[in-house]
Amino acid sequence: MYLTPVIVSEHLGKKTLTGTMSLKDIASQIQHGSISVNPDAQRSLGADQTQTTKYLLSTNEIGKSKRMQSFCNFMNRILRNIQNGKVDEGFLGCIQLIVDENNEGLTLKIVEPEKDEKLSHSVALLFESMGKVQQLAVMKADPGFGKEYAQIGDGQGRSVGFYHWYNSFLNQKAALQKLIQKKEKKAEDTGNEQLLLNQLLSLEPLLNEVFDHTRVSFMIYAKNVDENGNVQGLGIDAQRRLYIEGNALNSQASTEQIMKYENYSPIILDLIDIRSEIEWMAPKFIEEDAKSIGKSSVKVFTLSAVAKAHCWAICNHDKPIEKVSDEMIVDVEDRTTFVRNFWKKIDSIFGEIWIEHDDDKKDRTAYLKDMRDNKRCVLFQNIFLQALGQTCYRLGRHAGWDKEYDFAILDKLSPSKVNYNAFDEDCDQWNSIWTDALMKANQSGGFAFNNVTDSITKTRNKLVELLELAQSEQSAEEQASFEFE
């Protein structure tokens, strides 16, 4: 059970509980899981996003996280600075938490002076200054063994970091003590180890004091507080939104994370529905947690590339979140059927190539390496996917976004009719169609993919050319877009 004073306030229709926790309190609650990280609302601290932060903690793998190693190094420096009287570093900010809608372990006892109680001047002044919408309360967190009362929205690295920092200090001390004991039995010199141990022992009282006395501000978001003081929580969408607003909007999360948890953009919401119908768009084949595809990855495209391609297809720009507007909502409603049918046709043409060997990771990794590194196949480039989105927009304008449009014209893009490999190993030759469109020459005399907007436009123009979509069949506005984009 955890008790602490808080100020209860109103916050854009929600309730907030504001207070401070000691580092000891935070570390203890991380250790026991009473505050935790919802893996469905934000990314893990590990490099492998399939390994949740909870898993990393339970298996003691958290120390392998580069972020944790960096945090511990930072805090060690802060500790030495404090020992030497320097306090111009170390500003830990505020941790933002959110109460889950299934919470049953968080309650408030509102502190109210009795009407017939005579208060001292200072206490009376305190209650008078609280204003209309603030209340002083004692927060009681008693979620039950192994359960959490709040999820971390912003401050995961710091919260888990405090726990790991103290734990790693104790582990380092224990390891040195064991090593010294082992060497002493063998009558070996322990001078270096004893020096390191003495340094740790000299810091340990200060470390304990820091954990006991240092307090970090927290803000807990909740939906409401009922008349009995029970705190009502918020759902998964709110938890994701807190992560986005607390992290992504200050560039601490990747574009992929914003796309993954966005709930307001009509483009993203429409894409979510479409992804459930098209196999290669499923999470199994799309990188949702990083901004690039790793060499050993079995994914085809990044989530941001898919979202941008879908936005190009409907709105003719690649800002599905930044340019949300009433016009975008109307465009999605009017054009989604046409665009959805376009992607389904694309799936019938390229889908098998994109999901080849999906049942065997070893074979798939080798296959993707051959397609990307040896053949330089443009079908596996985010640029190509976005060019397809732009091509869809051109077709949509040409067809008036006809919901019954026959996409047979796209058969002209079939791999049986078009060579999408930019390099032929057998002939040691480059395919000028693609080197001109989306590549640039390198110093070794070959070519490398050029990930710029101009490459998307040139690739789109090549696809439109392959479709033989005559300029005369396009509107004047459409022709101008080809000339000036």
Side-chain angles (χ1 to χ4, degrees), residues 285-305:
F285 301 103
I286 302 301
E287 177 53 72
E288 296 183 335
D289 296 303
K291 60 183 179 182
S292 60
I293 304 289
K295 289 187 176 181
S296 60
S297 175
V298 297
K299 306 299 178 72
V300 190
F301 304 110
T302 62
L303 181 56
S304 60

Side-chain angles (χ1 to χ4, degrees), residues 445-458:
F447 292 87
F449 289 108
N450 191 23
N451 299 312
V452 295
T453 303
D454 187 54
S455 296
I456 300 173
T457 304
K458 289 180 179 178

Side-chain angles (χ1 to χ4, degrees), residues 380-422:
F380 294 87
Q381 294 297 308
N382 288 331
I383 292 172
F384 184 84
L385 184 66
Q386 292 184 66
L388 283 175
Q390 289 192 355
T391 302
C392 176
Y393 182 83
R394 297 303 178 276
L395 281 174
R397 290 293 301 272
H398 170 64
W401 304 103
D402 181 6
K403 296 179 180 180
E404 303 298 326
Y405 184 75
D406 179 4
F407 284 95
I409 189 174
L410 292 178
D411 289 328
K412 295 177 181 180
L413 300 180
S414 170
S416 63
K417 300 177 181 179
V418 180
N419 178 14
Y420 290 100
N421 296 331

Side-chain angles (χ1 to χ4, degrees), residues 349-350 353 371 375-380 384 388 410-423 431 433-434 438 449 459 462-463 466:
I349 296 173
F350 302 121
I353 296 175
M371 298 299 283
K375 295 182 172 62
R376 311 295 208 283
C377 182
V378 300
L379 294 179
F380 294 87
F384 184 84
L388 283 175
L410 292 178
D411 289 328
K412 295 177 181 180
L413 300 180
S414 170
S416 63
K417 300 177 181 179
V418 180
N419 178 14
Y420 290 100
N421 296 331
F423 183 69
N431 186 338
I433 292 177
W434 306 119
L438 70 166
F449 289 108
T459 303
K462 180 55 63 178
L463 294 175
L466 291 169

